[in-house]
Amino acid sequence: MKELPSLGQLETVDLRQAWAHEAHSFTPWLAENLNRLSAALGIPLELEGQEVSVGSFSADLLARNPQDGSLVLIENQLEQTDHNHLGQILTYLAGLEAQVIIWIASDFRDPHLSAINWLNDHTVDPFAFFAVQVKAVRIGDSAIAPLFEVMAKPNGWDRQLQQQVASQAGELSALGQFRLAFWSKLLELHPEQAQWGSANAASSRWHPLKNSSLVVVTYISVDCCGIFVRGRRGQSLEESRDLLLQHQQELEQRLAVPISDGEGYGLSQSLDADAREPATWPKLAAWLVSRQQAYVEALEEIVSTPLETQP
Protein backbone atom coordinates (compact mmCIF):
# COMPACT_ATOMS: atom_id res chain seq x y z
CA MET A 1 0.00 0.00 0.00
CA LYS A 2 1.34 3.42 -0.96
CA GLU A 3 2.34 5.54 2.03
CA LEU A 4 0.14 8.60 2.45
CA PRO A 5 1.82 12.02 2.66
CA SER A 6 2.13 13.73 6.02
CA LEU A 7 0.33 17.07 5.90
CA GLY A 8 0.68 19.97 8.29
CA GLN A 9 -2.08 21.86 10.08
CA LEU A 10 -2.67 25.51 9.13
CA GLU A 11 -2.89 27.60 12.30
CA THR A 12 -3.88 31.20 12.87
CA VAL A 13 -1.50 33.27 14.99
CA ASP A 14 -1.82 36.67 16.63
CA LEU A 15 -1.44 39.45 14.06
CA ARG A 16 0.93 41.26 16.42
CA GLN A 17 3.43 38.43 16.01
CA ALA A 18 3.71 39.41 12.36
CA TRP A 19 3.22 43.18 12.66
CA ALA A 20 3.84 44.73 16.06
CA HIS A 21 2.35 48.11 15.09
CA GLU A 22 -0.30 49.02 12.54
CA ALA A 23 1.27 52.26 11.25
CA HIS A 24 4.94 51.41 11.76
CA SER A 25 4.87 47.74 10.75
CA PHE A 26 1.80 46.67 8.79
CA THR A 27 1.32 49.72 6.56
CA PRO A 28 4.99 49.84 5.39
CA TRP A 29 4.93 46.07 4.83
CA LEU A 30 1.75 46.28 2.75
CA ALA A 31 3.20 49.17 0.74
CA GLU A 32 6.05 46.87 -0.28
CA ASN A 33 3.78 43.86 -0.84
CA LEU A 34 0.72 45.20 -2.63
CA ASN A 35 0.90 42.19 -4.94
CA ARG A 36 -0.43 40.04 -2.05
CA LEU A 37 -3.53 42.21 -1.80
CA SER A 38 -3.83 42.39 -5.60
CA ALA A 39 -3.99 38.61 -5.79
CA ALA A 40 -6.88 38.51 -3.32
CA LEU A 41 -8.87 41.23 -5.12
CA GLY A 42 -7.99 40.34 -8.68
CA ILE A 43 -6.87 43.85 -9.66
CA PRO A 44 -3.32 45.23 -10.12
CA LEU A 45 -2.17 47.87 -7.64
CA GLU A 46 0.72 50.31 -7.84
CA LEU A 47 1.71 52.37 -4.79
CA GLU A 48 1.13 56.11 -4.99
CA GLY A 49 1.92 57.14 -1.42
CA GLN A 50 1.80 56.40 2.30
CA GLU A 51 0.14 58.51 4.99
CA VAL A 52 -1.36 60.82 2.38
CA SER A 53 -2.75 64.00 3.96
CA VAL A 54 -6.48 64.64 3.70
CA GLY A 55 -7.30 67.71 5.77
CA SER A 56 -6.38 66.91 9.37
CA PHE A 57 -6.29 63.14 8.64
CA SER A 58 -3.80 60.86 6.89
CA ALA A 59 -4.91 58.01 4.62
CA ASP A 60 -2.82 54.88 5.19
CA LEU A 61 -2.09 54.01 1.56
CA LEU A 62 -3.00 55.43 -1.81
CA ALA A 63 -2.55 53.17 -4.83
CA ARG A 64 -3.47 53.24 -8.50
CA ASN A 65 -4.90 50.62 -10.82
CA PRO A 66 -2.59 50.86 -13.88
CA GLN A 67 -5.23 49.27 -16.09
CA ASP A 68 -7.52 52.30 -15.98
CA GLY A 69 -5.58 54.87 -13.94
CA SER A 70 -8.15 54.92 -11.11
CA LEU A 71 -7.07 55.78 -7.56
CA VAL A 72 -7.42 53.15 -4.84
CA LEU A 73 -7.67 54.08 -1.15
CA ILE A 74 -6.50 51.49 1.39
CA GLU A 75 -7.34 51.93 5.07
CA ASN A 76 -5.73 49.52 7.55
CA GLN A 77 -6.90 48.41 10.97
CA LEU A 78 -5.23 45.58 12.90
CA GLU A 79 -8.21 45.48 15.24
CA GLN A 80 -11.95 44.92 14.94
CA THR A 81 -13.63 47.57 12.81
CA ASP A 82 -15.05 50.69 14.45
CA HIS A 83 -17.17 53.70 13.51
CA ASN A 84 -14.18 56.07 13.51
CA HIS A 85 -12.48 54.25 10.65
CA LEU A 86 -15.71 54.10 8.67
CA GLY A 87 -16.07 57.86 9.03
CA GLN A 88 -12.44 58.42 8.02
CA ILE A 89 -12.91 56.30 4.90
CA LEU A 90 -15.82 58.48 3.78
CA THR A 91 -13.76 61.61 4.49
CA TYR A 92 -10.84 60.27 2.43
CA LEU A 93 -13.20 59.30 -0.36
CA ALA A 94 -14.31 62.90 -0.74
CA GLY A 95 -10.83 64.40 -0.33
CA LEU A 96 -8.80 62.09 -2.58
CA GLU A 97 -11.24 61.38 -5.42
CA ALA A 98 -10.53 57.65 -5.07
CA GLN A 99 -12.82 55.26 -6.92
CA VAL A 100 -11.94 51.99 -5.18
CA ILE A 101 -11.91 51.82 -1.38
CA ILE A 102 -10.37 48.88 0.49
CA TRP A 103 -10.91 48.58 4.25
CA ILE A 104 -8.58 46.03 5.82
CA ALA A 105 -9.19 44.83 9.40
CA SER A 106 -8.59 41.84 11.62
CA ASP A 107 -12.34 41.37 12.10
CA PHE A 108 -15.46 43.07 10.74
CA ARG A 109 -18.50 43.83 12.85
CA ASP A 110 -21.79 43.03 11.14
CA PRO A 111 -22.94 46.71 11.01
CA HIS A 112 -19.77 47.66 9.17
CA LEU A 113 -20.11 44.85 6.64
CA SER A 114 -23.69 46.02 6.12
CA ALA A 115 -22.40 49.56 5.55
CA ILE A 116 -19.94 48.37 2.89
CA ASN A 117 -22.69 46.37 1.17
CA TRP A 118 -25.01 49.37 1.33
CA LEU A 119 -22.39 51.61 -0.28
CA ASN A 120 -21.89 49.10 -3.08
CA ASP A 121 -25.65 48.88 -3.63
CA HIS A 122 -26.26 52.65 -3.61
CA THR A 123 -23.31 54.04 -5.56
CA VAL A 124 -22.70 53.82 -9.28
CA ASP A 125 -19.70 52.67 -11.28
CA PRO A 126 -16.78 53.16 -11.07
CA PHE A 127 -17.03 53.27 -7.26
CA ALA A 128 -16.29 49.98 -5.50
CA PHE A 129 -15.96 49.17 -1.79
CA PHE A 130 -14.17 46.17 -0.29
CA ALA A 131 -13.98 44.73 3.20
CA VAL A 132 -10.87 42.56 3.53
CA GLN A 133 -10.01 40.52 6.61
CA VAL A 134 -6.29 40.01 7.25
CA LYS A 135 -4.97 36.99 9.13
CA ALA A 136 -1.51 35.71 10.03
CA VAL A 137 -1.07 31.95 9.57
CA ARG A 138 1.64 29.32 9.73
CA ILE A 139 2.14 25.56 9.50
CA GLY A 140 4.14 24.16 12.38
CA ASP A 141 7.34 26.18 12.81
CA SER A 142 7.17 27.74 9.35
CA ALA A 143 7.44 31.48 8.77
CA ILE A 144 4.28 33.49 9.40
CA ALA A 145 2.34 34.17 6.21
CA PRO A 146 -0.35 36.79 5.53
CA LEU A 147 -3.81 35.72 4.43
CA PHE A 148 -6.33 38.15 2.90
CA GLU A 149 -10.01 37.17 2.72
CA VAL A 150 -12.53 39.36 0.92
CA MET A 151 -15.57 39.70 3.17
CA ALA A 152 -17.58 42.17 1.06
CA LYS A 153 -17.28 43.40 -2.52
CA PRO A 154 -19.45 44.96 -5.25
CA ASN A 155 -22.21 42.86 -6.76
CA GLY A 156 -21.04 41.16 -9.92
CA TRP A 157 -17.38 41.89 -9.18
CA ASP A 158 -16.22 38.43 -10.25
CA ARG A 159 -18.12 38.82 -13.51
CA GLN A 160 -16.47 42.21 -14.08
CA LEU A 161 -13.03 40.64 -13.56
CA GLN A 162 -13.81 37.88 -16.02
CA GLN A 163 -14.85 40.48 -18.57
CA GLN A 164 -11.62 42.41 -17.97
CA VAL A 165 -9.52 39.29 -18.39
CA ALA A 166 -11.34 38.44 -21.61
CA SER A 167 -10.80 42.00 -22.83
CA GLN A 168 -7.08 41.87 -22.04
CA ALA A 169 -6.72 38.49 -23.71
CA GLY A 170 -8.57 39.67 -26.79
CA GLU A 171 -9.63 43.17 -27.65
CA LEU A 172 -8.59 46.16 -25.56
CA SER A 173 -11.22 48.52 -24.22
CA ALA A 174 -11.91 51.65 -26.23
CA LEU A 175 -9.79 53.66 -23.79
CA GLY A 176 -6.96 51.14 -24.01
CA GLN A 177 -7.08 51.21 -27.80
CA PHE A 178 -6.91 55.01 -27.75
CA ARG A 179 -3.87 55.05 -25.45
CA LEU A 180 -2.06 52.36 -27.42
CA ALA A 181 -2.70 54.20 -30.69
CA PHE A 182 -1.50 57.52 -29.27
CA TRP A 183 1.74 56.16 -27.78
CA SER A 184 2.38 54.22 -31.01
CA LYS A 185 2.06 57.48 -32.97
CA LEU A 186 4.37 59.26 -30.55
CA LEU A 187 7.04 56.58 -31.04
CA GLU A 188 6.57 56.72 -34.79
CA LEU A 189 7.17 60.49 -34.77
CA HIS A 190 9.88 60.40 -32.08
CA PRO A 191 11.61 56.99 -32.29
CA GLU A 192 14.27 58.02 -29.76
CA GLN A 193 11.54 57.81 -27.11
CA ALA A 194 11.64 54.01 -27.40
CA GLN A 195 14.39 54.10 -24.74
CA TRP A 196 11.57 54.66 -22.23
CA GLY A 197 9.64 51.57 -23.31
CA SER A 198 7.33 50.37 -26.04
CA ALA A 199 3.78 51.59 -26.67
CA ASN A 200 1.09 50.07 -24.46
CA ALA A 201 -2.42 50.75 -23.18
CA ALA A 202 -1.28 52.52 -19.98
CA SER A 203 -2.19 56.15 -19.39
CA SER A 204 1.37 57.21 -18.57
CA ARG A 205 5.03 56.69 -19.43
CA TRP A 206 7.74 56.92 -16.75
CA HIS A 207 11.19 58.43 -17.27
CA PRO A 208 13.49 57.64 -14.27
CA LEU A 209 16.26 60.17 -13.69
CA LYS A 210 19.95 59.41 -13.32
CA ASN A 211 21.38 59.79 -9.80
CA SER A 212 18.00 60.79 -8.41
CA SER A 213 14.97 59.25 -6.75
CA LEU A 214 12.67 61.30 -8.98
CA VAL A 215 10.72 60.24 -12.06
CA VAL A 216 9.34 62.40 -14.88
CA VAL A 217 5.90 61.13 -15.90
CA THR A 218 4.11 61.99 -19.16
CA TYR A 219 0.46 61.04 -19.55
CA ILE A 220 -2.42 61.14 -22.00
CA SER A 221 -6.16 61.46 -21.34
CA VAL A 222 -9.08 62.04 -23.65
CA ASP A 223 -9.11 65.81 -23.11
CA CYS A 224 -5.46 66.68 -22.44
CA CYS A 225 -1.90 65.49 -22.12
CA GLY A 226 0.44 66.39 -19.30
CA ILE A 227 3.65 65.99 -17.38
CA PHE A 228 4.63 65.96 -13.71
CA VAL A 229 7.41 64.84 -11.37
CA ARG A 230 7.00 62.20 -8.69
CA GLY A 231 9.17 59.85 -6.66
CA ARG A 232 9.92 56.27 -7.56
CA ARG A 233 7.47 53.62 -6.38
CA GLY A 234 7.27 53.61 -2.60
CA GLN A 235 8.24 57.27 -2.18
CA SER A 236 5.51 59.50 -0.75
CA LEU A 237 4.23 62.63 -2.43
CA GLU A 238 5.60 64.67 0.46
CA GLU A 239 9.12 63.27 0.05
CA SER A 240 9.33 64.05 -3.65
CA ARG A 241 7.77 67.50 -3.21
CA ASP A 242 10.19 68.36 -0.38
CA LEU A 243 13.11 67.35 -2.59
CA LEU A 244 11.90 69.64 -5.37
CA LEU A 245 11.30 72.52 -2.96
CA GLN A 246 14.96 72.39 -1.94
CA HIS A 247 15.73 73.64 -5.47
CA GLN A 248 12.56 75.66 -5.98
CA GLN A 249 13.96 78.92 -7.33
CA GLU A 250 16.33 77.33 -9.82
CA LEU A 251 13.79 74.78 -11.11
CA GLU A 252 10.97 77.28 -11.46
CA GLN A 253 13.20 79.69 -13.37
CA ARG A 254 14.52 76.93 -15.62
CA LEU A 255 11.17 75.30 -16.45
CA ALA A 256 8.80 78.25 -15.93
CA VAL A 257 6.52 76.01 -13.87
CA PRO A 258 5.64 76.52 -10.19
CA ILE A 259 6.28 73.74 -7.69
CA SER A 260 3.07 73.01 -5.83
CA ASP A 261 3.51 73.19 -2.06
CA GLY A 262 0.09 71.67 -1.45
CA GLU A 263 -1.52 68.46 -2.67
CA GLY A 264 -0.65 66.81 -5.96
CA TYR A 265 2.57 66.20 -7.84
CA GLY A 266 5.29 68.79 -8.35
CA LEU A 267 6.06 70.72 -11.54
CA SER A 268 2.77 69.69 -13.09
CA GLN A 269 1.77 70.98 -16.53
CA SER A 270 -0.93 70.02 -19.00
CA LEU A 271 -2.04 70.91 -22.52
CA ASP A 272 -5.77 70.86 -23.20
CA ALA A 273 -6.94 69.33 -26.47
CA ASP A 274 -9.42 66.80 -27.81
CA ALA A 275 -6.97 63.90 -27.78
CA ARG A 276 -9.60 61.58 -29.20
CA GLU A 277 -9.02 63.31 -32.54
CA PRO A 278 -5.91 61.76 -34.21
CA ALA A 279 -5.23 65.04 -36.03
CA THR A 280 -4.12 66.52 -32.67
CA TRP A 281 -1.64 63.75 -31.91
CA PRO A 282 1.46 65.20 -33.66
CA LYS A 283 1.04 68.47 -31.72
CA LEU A 284 0.48 66.68 -28.41
CA ALA A 285 3.37 64.28 -29.00
CA ALA A 286 5.74 67.14 -29.86
CA TRP A 287 4.71 69.05 -26.72
CA LEU A 288 5.14 66.00 -24.48
CA VAL A 289 8.58 65.12 -25.90
CA SER A 290 9.80 68.72 -25.71
CA ARG A 291 8.66 69.14 -22.11
CA GLN A 292 9.94 65.71 -21.09
CA GLN A 293 13.40 66.49 -22.46
CA ALA A 294 13.45 69.87 -20.72
CA TYR A 295 12.38 68.33 -17.42
CA VAL A 296 14.92 65.51 -17.57
CA GLU A 297 17.81 67.83 -18.45
CA ALA A 298 16.94 70.38 -15.76
CA LEU A 299 16.34 67.85 -13.00
CA GLU A 300 19.44 65.80 -13.74
CA GLU A 301 21.56 68.96 -13.64
CA ILE A 302 19.96 70.55 -10.58
CA VAL A 303 18.65 67.73 -8.36
CA SER A 304 20.84 64.83 -7.28
CA THR A 305 20.22 62.32 -4.50
CA PRO A 306 22.54 59.46 -3.50
CA LEU A 307 21.62 56.22 -5.26
CA GLU A 308 21.55 54.30 -2.01
CA THR A 309 18.62 56.44 -0.79
CA GLN A 310 16.43 55.54 -3.74
CA PRO A 311 13.46 53.22 -3.11
Side-chain angles (χ1 to χ4, degrees):
M1 183 177 178
K2 187 176 180 180
E3 184 177 352
L4 296 177
S6 177
L7 302 178
Q9 179 71 36
L10 186 67
E11 299 176 342
T12 301
V13 301
D14 191 327
L15 286 175
R16 300 297 176 174
Q17 292 186 42
W19 305 284
H21 192 277
E22 179 184 306
H24 300 154
S25 301
F26 181 71
T27 296
W29 175 87
L30 185 58
E32 294 293 329
N33 294 272
L34 278 178
N35 59 308
R36 308 284 189 100
L37 183 60
S38 294
L41 297 175
I43 57 175
L45 295 172
E46 294 181 347
L47 182 66
E48 286 285 313
Q50 299 182 49
E51 300 298 330
V52 179
S53 297
V54 186
S56 59
F57 299 100
S58 292
D60 290 331
L61 292 174
L62 189 65
R64 190 176 296 276
N65 180 345
Q67 290 179 337
D68 58 14
S70 59
L71 285 175
V72 179
L73 167 68
I74 304 172
E75 182 66 10
N76 303 322
Q77 193 175 0
L78 289 186
E79 305 291 344
Q80 188 181 59
T81 54
D82 55 44
H83 290 339
N84 288 339
H85 279 77
L86 178 59
Q88 288 174 204
I89 286 172
L90 297 178
T91 300
Y92 301 155
L93 176 62
L96 291 172
E97 298 183 354
Q99 296 178 354
V100 176
I101 294 82
I102 304 170
W103 188 2
I104 300 176
S106 64
D107 187 35
F108 280 84
R109 296 175 58 191
D110 287 340
H112 298 141
L113 284 178
S114 296
I116 294 296
N117 288 324
W118 186 92
L119 288 168
N120 281 321
D121 290 340
H122 291 80
T123 53
V124 297
D125 290 339
F127 294 103
F129 299 82
F130 293 88
V132 179
Q133 184 178 33
V134 59
K135 297 179 181 179
V137 298
R138 71 178 356 153
I139 298 175
D141 295 327
S142 68
I144 297 175
L147 183 63
F148 293 108
E149 182 180 356
V150 180
M151 307 296 291
K153 58 186 177 182
N155 292 328
W157 180 253
D158 293 332
R159 184 170 61 255
Q160 293 178 38
L161 289 181
Q162 291 172 1
Q163 292 172 347
Q164 290 176 11
V165 171
S167 175
Q168 294 165 15
E171 236 180 86
L172 289 172
S173 66
L175 184 59
Q177 291 178 12
F178 154 68
R179 291 168 176 166
L180 177 59
F182 175 82
W183 294 125
S184 297
K185 186 63 176 180
L186 183 144
L187 292 179
E188 175 189 331
L189 296 171
H190 305 275
E192 75 283 356
Q193 290 290 307
Q195 64 178 305
W196 307 111
S198 59
N200 56 50
S203 61
S204 63
R205 288 169 62 84
W206 288 37
H207 318 276
L209 301 176
K210 298 176 183 177
N211 301 323
S212 173
S213 60
L214 297 175
V215 177
V216 175
V217 181
T218 53
Y219 66 89
I220 184 67
S221 69
V222 295
D223 55 6
C224 73
C225 65
I227 187 169
F228 59 85
V229 179
R230 59 158 294 164
R232 301 196 183 203
R233 301 195 193 284
Q235 187 178 42
S236 69
L237 298 179
E238 290 77 12
E239 288 177 295
S240 58
R241 189 183 302 114
D242 288 346
L243 182 56
L244 291 173
L245 287 173
Q246 294 175 24
H247 308 274
Q248 182 172 13
Q249 184 175 359
E250 193 172 1
L251 286 171
E252 290 184 346
Q253 289 179 348
R254 178 78 170 268
L255 297 171
V257 184
I259 299 174
S260 171
D261 58 0
E263 296 181 0
Y265 294 113
L267 295 173
S268 177
Q269 277 186 289
S270 63
L271 179 64
D272 293 336
D274 184 359
R276 293 166 296 186
E277 175 51 58
T280 66
W281 292 357
K283 175 185 176 181
L284 299 183
W287 185 87
L288 282 174
V289 170
S290 173
R291 294 290 10 181
Q292 176 257 324
Q293 291 174 342
Y295 272 52
V296 170
E297 290 175 3
L299 289 161
E300 289 187 345
E301 290 180 17
I302 297 170
V303 183
S304 178
T305 54
L307 289 175
E308 59 266 24
T309 66
Q310 294 180 15

